[in-house]
Amino acid sequence: MSVVDHNAIELPRISEAEVGDYIALLKPRVMSLVIFTALVGLMIAPVHVHPVLAFTSILCIAVGAGASGALNMAYESDVDALMSRTANRPIPRGRITSAEAAAFGLTLAFFSVMTLGILVNWVAGGLLAFTIFFYAVVYTMLLKRWTAQNIVIGGAAGALPPVVAWAAATGSLSVEPILLFLIIFFWTPPHFWALALFRSDDYARAGIPMLPVVAGPDATRLQILLYTIVLVAIALAPWPLGYFDAIYGVTSLVAGAGMLWLAIEVYRRREGVAANKATRRLFAFSILYLFALFAVLLAEVVVRAILPVFIG
């Protein structure tokens, strides 16, 4: 009669994950920005899109963004556990394993790309696949831990949703979505470097070579100012070039002046409470800045749509 060592039997793991943990893997705050910018890209396209196809497109882009977030967390669980900003994410807390998060992300990525490609068009589907790949592989696996330019190059992934949405509406690309791409692309470095300035200890502890850790805070402040100057110029350019209307132009001018002023304040104030306050103000305002630009474009579409009704 054999004796069974019950302690040697490996019991299957019982997951403690709840729905909220899987939602957290999707990075809901990032997803909300993706949905908003994609919606603008879809709405400004010069074609009529059936509401069902429009909803499908935005849903697939949102799910694709969520897939990218889940794959990012699956790969970065080790560094997430070292940073106070990310230590409460589901994987560091032990509620979800990296393998489960990766499987979840891959499943969402596959179905979002295939659904968009089959039901809408394959130009949009291909662009969505490229966006997920760029964020999950190029940025997360190749850039983030190896270069201080991670945010600059990796920002392309976050700038692509309006391009994907435009392609979903038209089946092609044009100048307008490229302009939206450039605005988000050049907005990303000053936005995230402002965050990195007052979170530099977190990044240093995790071994992430963010610019303040590698080059120092003063060099980062200069880069924030330079990128902000380029951003404000690029965001204003579509108005005189005739792509966007005067309301957008005025909003871009006013909001850009605020963004530039705060970037100058970050450059000037380098020590103590004043420096920390300046970087936090720029970080918060940068979100409002991007929202204002895209909200005005969306409002212009709505106004043009309802104006004939009132005139008629």
Side-chain angles (χ1 to χ4, degrees):
M1 188 174 186
S2 63
V3 178
V4 178
D5 183 1
H6 293 283
N7 293 325
I9 300 175
E10 185 175 344
L11 298 176
R13 175 182 177 273
I14 300 176
S15 176
E16 297 180 0
E18 298 176 354
V19 173
D21 295 313
Y22 282 97
I23 292 176
L25 287 179
L26 304 178
K27 295 190 175 181
R29 285 187 293 182
V30 175
M31 184 187 287
S32 64
L33 181 62
V34 167
I35 292 172
F36 181 60
T37 58
L39 179 62
V40 173
L42 186 78
M43 294 296 290
I44 68 172
V47 295
H48 173 73
V49 183
H50 192 281
V52 173
L53 292 181
F55 175 79
T56 301
S57 299
I58 297 299
L59 179 62
C60 288
I61 294 170
V63 172
S68 300
L71 293 171
N72 171 271
M73 288 195 198
Y75 186 79
E76 293 199 326
S77 58
D78 56 337
V79 297
D80 281 350
L82 300 174
M83 299 173 63
S84 59
R85 185 173 65 89
T86 56
N88 284 326
R89 285 176 172 175
I91 301 176
R93 290 173 60 201
R95 300 185 65 82
I96 296 176
T97 66
S98 294
E100 289 168 341
F104 181 59
L106 289 171
T107 301
L108 293 181
F110 176 80
F111 282 105
S112 62
V113 170
M114 294 302 293
T115 301
L116 188 62
I118 293 171
L119 297 185
V120 183
N121 65 68
W122 282 107
V123 176
L127 282 171
L128 181 60
F130 174 76
T131 302
I132 297 170
F133 173 82
F134 197 91
Y135 186 82
V137 177
V138 177
Y139 169 67
T140 301
M141 298 182 182
L142 302 180
L143 294 175
K144 190 168 183 179
R145 303 192 193 201
W146 303 109
T147 173
Q149 296 301 308
N150 47 23
I151 286 298
V152 177
I153 305 169
L160 279 169
V163 181
V164 179
W166 177 285
T170 66
S172 63
L173 296 178
S174 187
V175 175
E176 291 90 335
I178 301 302
L179 290 171
L180 298 183
F181 170 89
L182 290 174
I183 290 170
I184 302 173
F185 181 80
F186 282 97
W187 168 86
T188 301
H191 171 74
F192 278 101
W193 282 337
L195 172 67
L197 276 173
F198 60 83
R199 292 286 190 179
S200 58
D201 290 345
D202 249 5
Y203 288 112
R205 185 165 52 252
I208 302 297
M210 294 296 286
L211 194 62
V213 176
V214 175
D218 289 348
T220 303
R221 289 183 171 90
L222 176 60
Q223 290 296 312
I224 286 174
L225 180 58
L226 294 176
Y227 268 91
T228 301
I229 292 171
V230 176
L231 166 65
V232 170
I234 287 177
L236 184 61
W239 177 31
L241 291 176
Y243 289 104
F244 302 148
D245 293 340
I247 298 176
Y248 169 86
V250 173
T251 303
S252 177
L253 190 63
V254 173
M259 186 80 180
L260 186 57
W261 170 253
L262 290 174
I264 292 172
E265 285 291 285
V266 168
Y267 182 74
R268 289 177 58 238
R269 304 183 184 278
R270 304 189 175 195
E271 294 181 1
V273 176
N276 188 55
K277 191 174 182 179
T279 56
R280 289 179 181 273
R281 280 180 174 175
L282 177 62
F283 176 75
F285 184 81
S286 65
I287 299 172
L288 178 62
Y289 172 80
L290 190 67
F291 174 80
L293 295 184
F294 279 73
V296 167
L297 290 175
L298 191 60
E300 287 181 352
V301 172
V302 174
V303 169
R304 283 197 296 267
I306 65 175
L307 193 59
V309 176
F310 287 102
I311 295 176

